[in-house]
């Protein structure tokens, strides 16, 4: 083993079109071979590796000689069951040539939404990494339905990377990087190599993915938002050249170790970041390391970790609570949500279910009967697990905590939501759906597809 046993965790996600031929549905064995060789090389360099693998349905189509992806859920789930068996067999066979053990992890949204199951999955993956095993994670398409699906493996890979505190997430696609314009119709399109503020990104999501996949570049932008908010450096790079991952890692290592000692030097944003990759290759020089083209999204300096990340991204909200600016400030100052700060309730939810938290601009002191108590543009600020149901919160909203028992006949808590059960979005990291940019504007990402 070259270097320390526990240097960093790298999660990389090759999409369906990266490992399964879109026309014949045959596994792309040369690409799979390169991915395996890359993962083994990273392991030998001291890194821990997780692979989030798509392709079960694509491989199932090939195994059963089905030409097109069916629309009926039961047929998709059956093909996924057939294909997953073959897919993990392929991974195990290729890694077996290097005597590298692998393990299969199948997840659904329900596994992430339940806190105990989330922690069990986290502990299992971490234990496998400690044992020197490469976990291969995929969504459990055999069981998943629309309500419990991640939607795409880009999102699953981001949640997995956050769950195991990965340092890097590599999203593999059929382009080298993001461009400022469509490179296919604009020869002067310039690559975007480093993104410091992902909130400024507008992605052209007109590419809907391949016939086998379910995502495109837009899902990768969303995944990058999720991962960087959890402190994970996220990289988009070409799937047909998996060896680029090793080169990019080495480049970042060299970048971290090449800070000039001059007192006149002003450190860059990246030089400020304490990246564990920088500790292993101090002998590398930027003059000798030329990185392959890629886009690197820098992580937040103060990431959202563990329980707070799980509250934001592991749970599906069942309703919305509208709060005033005073309640928002109190939450930002680590206080709980009191009923006096609640203006309105939307949806039907039970006690201990997740809700959206939305702050509104201006409170109307005496609105006409039946009208809302607020006006202005509502802004979603986070998520919360509530102590009361939607009906109960509607009754106590705007009242003091001392009045809860009189209004409900009991008082389980003084708070609508305890502060430990509230997680707020960071303004620069909120993982909203990408904005559709007009031609020639925003960031262009064009690929054949990605995930399922």
């Amino acid at each position: 083993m070259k270097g320390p046993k526990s240097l960093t965790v790298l999660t990389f996600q090759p999409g369906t079109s990266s490992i399964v031929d879109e026309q014949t549905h045959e596994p792309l064995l040369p690409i799979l071979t390169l991915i395996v060789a890359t993962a083994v090389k990273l392991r030998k360099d001291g890194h821990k590796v997780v692979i989030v693998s798509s392709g079960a349905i694509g491989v199932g189509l090939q195994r059963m000689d089905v030409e097109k992806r069916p629309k009926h859920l039961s047929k998709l789930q059956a093909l996924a069951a057939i294909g997953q068996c073959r897919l993990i067999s392929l991974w195990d066979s290729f890694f077996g040539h290097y005597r590298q053990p692998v393990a299969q992890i199948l997840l659904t949204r329900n596994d992430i939404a339940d806190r105990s199951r989330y922690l069990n999955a986290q502990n299992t993956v971490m234990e496998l990494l400690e044992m020197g095993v490469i976990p291969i994670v995929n969504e459990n398409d055999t069981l998943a339905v629309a309500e419990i699906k991640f939607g795409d493996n880009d999102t699953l890979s981001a949640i997995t990377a956050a769950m195991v505190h990965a340092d890097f997430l590599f999203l593999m696609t059929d382009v080298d990087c993001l461009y400022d314009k469509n490179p296919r119709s604009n020869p002067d399109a310039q690559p975007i190599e480093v993104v410091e503020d992902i909130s400024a990104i507008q992605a052209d999501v007109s590419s809907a993915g391949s016939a086998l996949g379910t995502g495109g570049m837009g899902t990768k932008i969303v995944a990058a938002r999720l991962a960087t908010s959890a402190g994970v450096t996220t990289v988009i790079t070409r799937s047909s050249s998996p060896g680029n991952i090793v080169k990019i890692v080495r480049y970042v290592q060299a970048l971290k170790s090449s800070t000039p000692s001059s007192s006149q030097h002003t450190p860059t944003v990246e030089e400020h970041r304490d990246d564990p990759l920088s500790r292993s290759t101090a002998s590398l020089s930027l003059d000798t390391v030329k990185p392959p083209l890629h886009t690197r999204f820098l992580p937040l300096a103060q990431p959202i970790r563990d329980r707070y990340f799980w509250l934001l991204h592991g749970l599906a909200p069942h309703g919305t609570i509208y709060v005033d600016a005073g309640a928002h400030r109190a939450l930002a100052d680590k206080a709980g949500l009191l009923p006096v700060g609640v203006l309105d309730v939307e949806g039907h939810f039970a006690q201990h279910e997740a809700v959206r938290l939305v702050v509104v601009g201006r409170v109307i002191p005496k609105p006409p009967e039946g009208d809302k108590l607020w006006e202005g543009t509502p802004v979603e600020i986070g998520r919360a697990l509530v102590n009361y149901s939607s009906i109960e919160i509607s009754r106590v909203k705007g009242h003091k905590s001392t009045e809860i028992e009189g209004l409900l006949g009991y008082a389980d808590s003084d708070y609508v939501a305890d502060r430990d059960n509230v997680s707020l979005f960071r303004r620069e990291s909120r993982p909203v759906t990408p904005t559709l940019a007009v031609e020639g504007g925003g960031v262009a990402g064009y690929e054949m597809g990605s995930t399922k």
Side-chain angles (χ1 to χ4, degrees), residues 7-10 161 165-169 231-234 274-277 299:
L7 180 59
T8 188
V9 178
L10 299 108
H165 299 166
D167 295 287
F168 272 87
L169 168 62
V232 182
T233 298
T234 304
D274 181 21
D275 190 325
L277 293 174

Side-chain angles (χ1 to χ4, degrees), residues 351-417:
Q351 185 183 30
H352 302 313
E353 287 192 325
V355 299
R356 302 176 190 87
L357 293 179
V358 174
V359 65
V360 296
R362 182 174 176 270
V363 179
I364 303 174
K366 295 182 179 180
E369 187 175 352
D371 284 3
K372 293 181 178 179
L373 297 172
W374 52 270
E375 63 182 9
T377 303
V379 177
E380 188 175 351
I381 58 172
R383 300 277 194 272
L385 288 178
V386 292
N387 293 324
Y388 297 96
S389 69
S390 54
I391 295 175
E392 293 166 332
I393 297 173
S394 295
R395 291 176 183 172
V396 302
K397 67 182 180 182
H399 291 275
K400 295 180 180 179
S401 296
T402 54
E403 300 177 68
I404 292 177
E405 186 170 2
L407 292 166
L408 299 180
Y410 58 90
D412 287 343
S413 173
D414 289 342
Y415 295 96
V416 169

Side-chain angles (χ1 to χ4, degrees), residues 178 198 201 203 217-226 236 297 434:
L178 296 179
I198 197 169
I201 289 290
M217 190 59 74
T219 65
K220 288 174 172 50
I221 301 297
V222 172
R225 284 194 177 99
L226 289 173
I236 290 176
F297 299 86

Side-chain angles (χ1 to χ4, degrees), residues 271-287:
E271 289 165 354
H272 274 299
R273 301 190 187 278
D274 181 21
D275 190 325
L277 293 174
S278 65
R279 296 195 289 269
S280 65
T281 54
S283 61
L284 292 175
S285 167
L286 285 177
D287 294 334

